[in-house]
Amino acid sequence: MEVDVNRTTAALASLAAALLFAVAGIVLAPPPAAAASLVEVTNFGTNPGNMRMHIYAPDNRPANPAIVVAMHGCSGSGPGFYSGSEFARLADQFGFLVIYPTATQQAGFGNCFDVWSAAAKRRDGGSDPVSIMSMVNYAQRQYAGDLNRVFATGSSSGGMMTQALMALYPDVYKAGAAFMGVPVNCFANAADFPPTNSQCVNGRMDRTPQQWGDAVRQAYPGYSGPRPRVQLWHGTADNLIPFQLLQESVEQWTNVAGLSQTPTSTDTPQANWNRRRFADSTGAVRVEAYSIQGAGHSLPSSGMARAAIDFFGLSTAGPTPPPPTTSPPPST
């Protein structure tokens, strides 16, 4: 009987040891491959703007993913816009690449995207627009990004550059979503950029639709191909970039598209989101403008990035894995 007890004890001890090693094996096994993360690229090509580049490439993406350039506001950064906006989460869901440039140029108001210099106002003239084009081309080379599906978006200074890129490279950007931006060629020069001195953002800028449209056409003289579709966002209580500049941008882009200044439809997609849409003769919406009632200089807020991605046509393409359990906070 004593032998049986000893055998039983030994067997239990062996089983316990086996279980312990099994558990230890689970705990000590190498972790699974890390999920997609923001990656900095230091040698992406010609960089006259001396910019930094970060890119987010979701693990689950098609062979030739679309490319979205997402740009921060003044004094911000690419990583800051990555963590403070919803575009990376949407990239996980719909399988597109997101480029997050970081501006380094100064115009008396922190690091801002150059939309004021002569170089930045003409195609391939230099400065930030050329640097950003290098980033787009890098995304195509390194990640097989689809150059037929390139889009731009951004907040404040990034919203200004969004509109500038669509004027400079209408053959590259299929659509853009500008949050709290200004019309193309609104700033005379660097001295005109700081809000305290600016003729552009001091509330007195008023040009005709033809004048605004000419500013876009002059960025790429001779171009006669299709123009990007344009989505514009502005808060009615913005105390930094006056709300009236939304209307100036509407006039600019409807003129470029050859559309009437009268919207073809108006609606309220969400509470306090008043939307005007301007469609062409085929019914395709070429320009849409969102007036966000009571909002200050704080866009995009929750849900607006998704509206931009919908406008780009990216929310119906690509893989759709389950959404993550957490999401970045809305930008402020």
Side-chain angles (χ1 to χ4, degrees):
M1 186 68 177
E2 182 179 352
V3 173
D4 290 340
V5 170
N6 290 339
R7 287 177 178 174
T8 301
T9 301
L12 289 173
S14 297
L15 178 60
L19 289 172
L20 178 62
F21 282 114
V23 171
I26 293 172
V27 172
L28 299 177
S37 60
L38 191 67
V39 175
E40 182 164 13
V41 180
T42 55
N43 295 301
F44 53 84
T46 304
N47 186 17
N50 193 31
M51 304 182 73
R52 294 175 61 197
M53 174 187 178
H54 289 80
I55 189 166
Y56 183 77
D59 292 328
N60 194 3
R61 61 182 189 270
N64 300 109
I67 302 169
V68 174
V69 180
M71 293 169 283
H72 63 80
C74 283
S75 301
S77 69
F81 201 57
Y82 160 78
S83 61
S85 66
E86 299 171 327
F87 291 104
R89 178 180 63 78
L90 292 165
D92 284 332
Q93 187 174 357
F94 297 114
F96 55 85
L97 305 172
V98 190
I99 295 170
Y100 294 95
T102 297
T104 62
Q105 300 203 49
Q106 306 287 315
F109 196 57
N111 56 306
C112 308
F113 291 99
D114 176 11
V115 293
W116 57 79
S117 74
K121 293 177 182 178
R122 66 180 187 274
R123 180 184 176 91
D124 296 334
S127 196
D128 292 355
V130 169
S131 295
I132 294 169
M133 272 305 308
S134 295
M135 297 179 194
V136 170
N137 290 328
Y138 176 90
Q140 189 278 326
R141 294 192 309 270
Q142 189 70 19
Y143 295 92
D146 186 352
L147 293 183
N148 291 314
R149 293 189 299 150
V150 181
F151 306 90
T153 188
S155 173
S156 193
S157 176
M160 299 172 191
M161 181 55 79
T162 294
Q163 297 192 57
L165 291 174
M166 290 189 290
L168 294 162
Y169 298 100
D171 51 337
V172 174
Y173 294 91
K174 303 307 177 187
F179 296 88
M180 310 178 304
V182 302
V184 174
N185 203 11
C186 190
F187 297 103
N189 47 43
D192 188 42
F193 189 78
T196 53
N197 304 325
S198 178
Q199 293 296 308
C200 174
V201 297
N202 65 9
R204 294 196 295 269
M205 182 59 70
D206 184 14
R207 294 175 181 162
T208 67
Q210 182 68 34
Q211 288 172 324
W212 282 126
D214 286 345
V216 170
R217 289 180 283 268
Q218 289 163 5
Y220 186 10
Y223 178 76
S224 59
R227 295 282 179 175
R229 298 168 59 246
V230 180
Q231 185 185 68
L232 303 163
W233 299 75
H234 221 109
T236 60
D238 193 325
N239 60 3
L240 184 61
I241 299 177
F243 173 65
Q244 74 179 62
L245 287 174
L246 173 65
Q247 180 58 30
E248 302 299 318
S249 291
V250 167
E251 292 176 6
Q252 181 169 72
W253 291 106
T254 52
N255 180 268
V256 168
L259 303 175
S260 167
Q261 302 296 306
T262 302
T264 50
S265 68
T266 60
D267 64 354
T268 305
Q270 293 192 28
N272 300 320
W273 292 17
N274 294 338
R275 178 172 62 180
R276 291 174 288 160
R277 299 181 119 179
F278 302 81
D280 61 20
S281 59
T282 70
V285 175
R286 305 298 307 173
V287 178
E288 67 177 19
Y290 284 82
S291 301
I292 310 303
Q293 299 302 308
H297 198 71
S298 59
L299 308 182
S301 55
S302 180
M304 294 179 181
R306 174 57 190 265
I309 295 306
D310 289 347
F311 183 75
F312 296 164
L314 298 181
S315 55
T316 57
T320 54
T325 55
T326 61
S327 61
S331 65
T332 56

